[in-house]
Amino acid sequence: PNSDKELKSQAQAKLLAITNNLEEEMEIESLIQARGYKDGIAFIHNDSVEVIVAAEGLERKDVAKIGDLITNTTNISLEEITIIEKPPE
């Protein structure tokens, strides 16, 4: 309550950004599973996304599909998306 209004406003904006990122990460993870992959985990950074997909032998078409769903969800360009294949356990 005694904090500077500007500081409060910055903290609220940061909290909102974190919440939005979490929602987008969960949406990406759900869409990856809906596309038939065993599992996936997404990490959204400032202007980039890293995704780890539980799959063996991802082909170009798989990478393109995953990249498209990430771009559609986050509006981050394909150049800023990293897709990592991790063999399922």
Side-chain angles (χ1 to χ4, degrees), residues 3-17:
S3 297
D4 178 49
K5 286 184 181 183
E6 179 65 28
L7 194 57
K8 278 185 185 179
S9 184
Q10 289 175 0
Q12 288 173 336
K14 181 82 170 171
L15 184 58
L16 182 61

Side-chain angles (χ1 to χ4, degrees), residues 71-89:
T71 299
N72 292 336
T73 303
T74 63
N75 291 322
I76 292 176
S77 69
L78 288 172
E79 293 81 23
E80 302 303 324
I81 298 171
T82 302
I83 300 170
I84 301 166
E85 178 183 348
K86 179 184 179 293
E89 296 179 4

Side-chain angles (χ1 to χ4, degrees), residues 1-3 5 8 14-15 17 21-23 28-29 31-33 37 43 45 47 55-56 63-64 69 77 80 82 87:
N2 298 330
S3 297
K5 286 184 181 183
K8 278 185 185 179
K14 181 82 170 171
L15 184 58
N21 283 353
L22 285 172
E23 288 176 4
I28 290 167
E29 293 164 4
L31 289 170
I32 286 171
Q33 289 180 352
Y37 301 99
F43 301 99
H45 306 288
D47 293 322
E56 216 166 302
V63 172
L69 75 87
S77 69
E80 302 303 324
T82 302

